[in-house]
Amino acid sequence: MFNRSQVIAMLCAAQLLIACTAPFGLQARIASPLDKALRATVVNTESGQRLQILQPENLPPSLQNAQDIRAILDNSNSVYPVTRNADGTLSIPLPAGRVADSTGLIELLLSDNAGGSWLLRFDTGPLVTLQEPPFQVQPAGAAVVGATWQLGLNPAESIDNSRYSFNWFASASAQGPWQPLSGMDAKVRWTPAQPGNYFVRLDLRERSSGAVSTIISPAPVVLAQAADDIVLTTPADGRVLAGDRIELQANLPHLPTDTPLIWSYGSSPQGPWQPIAGQTQGLSWEPPAAGGYFLRLQVSSAEQLETYTSSRVLVTAVSADDVLQTLPASGSILRGESVTLSASLPELPAGASYSWSFAPSPQGPFTAISGSGPSLEWLPEQSGSFYLRLRVQLSPTDVRTYTSGEPLVSVSDSDSVFALSPQPANLSRGESVVLALRETPPPARRISWAYALSSQGPWQAITGQGQNLRWTPPRAGSYFLRAELSGGSEANAILSSASALVNVSENSNAIQVSPATGQRLGQLVRLRANLPGTEANARYQWFVGPSAQGPWQSAQTLDSQPESAELNWWPGQAGNYHVKVDLLQNQQVISFVSPQPLVFISAAETFFQVSPQPANISTQGAVEINAFFQPPAGETFSYSWSAAPAPTGPFIALGGSNQLRFNWTQPGQVGRYFLRLDARSNQSGRVVSFLSAEPLVTVGEASQATPRF
């Protein structure tokens, strides 16, 4: 507050100001001070501090409407211009050192352009009275990044929060820069993203006047520590052997000790995160594989989910490669060879059990290896690179698992163990290859063979066993080979080729016919299997059908050896015929089918001749039937004649003859009839049959029959 001498000096300065500011030319009027201090705010700008009068409507009326206002702030006779802002507030520059008193009051003299002057008081103090410390902060002490702090004002007495708006800020320095916090309530929650010690600032604004009080904590009140030690480990360095367990203890002092936690681990602080079983603040965990792991703790509450993530690797699982050993040391073997697995472990108590397994990746799935013990022989049945895992059970509750951090066993297929003849085995379908191993196994060893179209199978067994096994591939394709050795004192072994060793091409000329064209019913057709390389004792079965899919019927023949590579076939009726031959050798059956018809028998009737022509007779009439059949030289035949209303029968026996002529008299039953001839060899007893392509005899009542002259 100004004392009496200061006020007199300021009034004199005001009088001087009025006298020297013509054209005002007005007599000075010093008004009585207002009883109530007006609200103002001290604002920091680049040019210095300014006093901002927030409620100009509370000024004396002449000042409210004055075009020009001047301010005298002290007895230095200095006059300062008053600026009217766009929002109606007034701004007055404050000289250096001109500050409010301890209660926040500041007095000054304002003069208008009408010659009036007013000594006014302005209140720049806090909008509310605060206790020490000015803020309420929970948690009050240090906490780990991931924790959420609650911030609130600490007033000396109850205030009406609805009168104010709250703008919260935080900074690592009392001078800023300031980070705005989310929320404009009297209390806010904030989760720092980075470790640090943070000051808190509140800009408290009175809604009615627009007055703002800025409150800054005198010291950092949010102490966010790095999450390096959110979990304490045993052992303390966090290093364990892959397969061993590590003890974890949450280190979050600001939480109650019974707070449930959600545990998870990841290979980076960004995840992805995998759960760890258990919700207590201390637990035992077995890392899934060798590697370094970040840890994450989460606390779920009704308000939000707090997340604490370690900023560094807290658990390191060391590879078990030094514990698990192989012989040969490289672990590289050919399929069919065995590898010795052993574990170099400290002396374990008697009664410990060992379980070995393997997998193509450290994440599995792992497949059990037959056998137990700290050392065993393993014969891999498939090629590839394999991780090893050993589980050692010391007690029902103490199981230790050791998983290699890299593949320790590499199994390769090899073509060099096979000896084939011919070599290379490039065959036409129907040809054979001799299968053998380059190194002949002992006599007590059995060799079982299999083939597949890929190295992964599925594998089909080859009939027969042993060294130098002759095999005829069943169809065209490229075949991998597998030999399984068993018996004797040695362990079973499986040898597989790394590539297709047998290549079989389709035989497009496997079946030949003669004559190629112009066949007619009653003449033989010669069928020949063009299958070089077949064995002398191979057998052939011949079939004919209307399509490449059948249905198939045996090719009728008069040959004394019908299972030969050549066959004299007597077509039994008109049609276009596909031919199939089954090759039987080495206890295998291999089929060859012509993709197109090879034999064409004309439907024009030239085999059977009837008289009269057409043969339309009565039930008491007669018809003479002749057949065109060219029997093999040197053979005599007996002939059986039959008729049926359909080509599929039922056939009625008409009689027999020794010649290719027959008289059918008094048919007796009305109908239209197909004719069939069965020719039986008097030497071999074989029979071939011939059927007309259409009905050749029509039997009607006597009145309907065609007259015979």
Side-chain angles (χ1 to χ4, degrees), residues 41-52 94 214 216:
T41 298
V42 177
V43 179
N44 294 315
T45 67
E46 293 182 356
S47 59
Q49 289 188 327
R50 299 182 70 87
L51 181 69
Q52 186 170 355
L94 293 178
T214 297
I216 299 176

Side-chain angles (χ1 to χ4, degrees), residues 85 91 109 120 138 217 258 284 347 488 496 528 542 572 682 693:
N85 301 317
S91 294
L109 191 68
L120 302 176
Q138 289 294 332
S217 62
D258 59 350
S284 178
E347 184 175 349
S496 298
R528 177 176 178 272
W542 294 90
N682 294 328

Side-chain angles (χ1 to χ4, degrees), residues 444-521:
R445 300 283 274 174
R446 295 185 300 274
I447 308 175
S448 299
W449 296 88
Y451 68 93
L453 291 172
S454 78
S455 59
Q456 285 74 41
W459 296 93
Q460 303 291 325
I462 296 175
T463 303
Q465 288 186 336
Q467 185 82 325
N468 299 316
L469 177 69
R470 181 175 291 275
W471 174 50
T472 305
R475 60 187 67 87
S478 297
Y479 296 99
F480 292 76
L481 295 177
R482 170 180 281 186
E484 183 173 354
L485 285 75
S486 59
S489 59
E490 300 180 43
N492 292 353
I494 296 177
L495 306 176
S496 298
S497 65
S499 61
L501 296 183
V502 179
N503 299 288
V504 182
S505 60
E506 190 61 70
N507 189 342
S508 59
N509 196 32
I511 300 175
Q512 299 175 343
V513 300
S514 178
T517 60
Q519 297 98 327
R520 59 182 289 189
L521 202 63

Side-chain angles (χ1 to χ4, degrees), residues 524 526 557-561 568 570 629-639 658-660 679-688:
L524 67 83
R526 288 184 174 86
T557 183
L558 296 171
D559 294 354
S560 59
Q561 296 181 341
N568 292 319
W570 298 85
F629 172 54
Q630 295 179 332
E635 286 191 65
T636 59
F637 286 83
S638 299
Y639 303 101
N658 292 324
Q659 297 181 346
L660 291 170
R680 180 184 179 85
S681 172
N682 294 328
Q683 284 71 39
S684 67
R686 295 184 175 278
V687 178
V688 291

Side-chain angles (χ1 to χ4, degrees), residues 605-623:
E605 192 59 69
T606 58
F607 184 82
F608 290 100
Q609 298 291 329
V610 294
S611 179
Q613 177 64 35
N616 296 328
I617 62 173
S618 70
T619 56
Q620 299 302 313
V623 62

